[in-house]
Amino acid sequence: RVDRHENIGEGILGLPLFWRLVNDPRFANVPGVLETEPKNPETPYRDEVSLLNGLVNAPEPPKKEPAFSLELSPAHAPIKKKKS
């Protein structure tokens, strides 16, 4: 089994989630762990730590449009057909 993680800001979670974490006072003194593949083995995590530091006290980054979306109807709701 392989457990892979996207680099910060490149995955599904997006930058807004990390912005909220680094700007939430409840996490101010909580250490973090980067579980991502370093982009550059000579300077591992330099870019990601810099990105996280840059989010502190910065304006909230815009949310990306999701690659797809799925809308579910309640089980009891009738399915509406589109008019052609």
Side-chain angles (χ1 to χ4, degrees):
R1 184 175 131 178
V2 177
D3 184 17
R4 298 180 198 242
H5 302 285
E6 292 290 339
N7 290 98
I8 293 174
E10 296 177 9
I12 294 172
L13 300 178
L15 280 179
L17 175 118
F18 291 99
W19 176 84
R20 285 190 292 279
L21 283 173
V22 300
N23 287 291
D24 188 322
R26 294 174 295 176
F27 297 104
N29 296 309
V30 177
V33 175
L34 294 175
E35 282 191 8
T36 58
E37 189 68 29
K39 288 183 177 183
N40 183 346
E42 293 180 19
T43 55
Y45 308 114
R46 180 189 66 194
D47 295 340
E48 290 185 313
V49 170
S50 177
L51 174 63
L52 290 171
N53 283 331
L55 292 173
V56 177
N57 297 322
E60 183 174 6
K63 295 178 182 175
K64 283 191 212 175
E65 288 294 320
F68 70 92
S69 65
L70 177 65
E71 187 175 322
L72 301 175
S73 298
H76 62 276
I79 298 173
K80 296 179 182 178
K81 294 184 178 180
K82 291 184 179 180
K83 296 179 182 180
S84 345

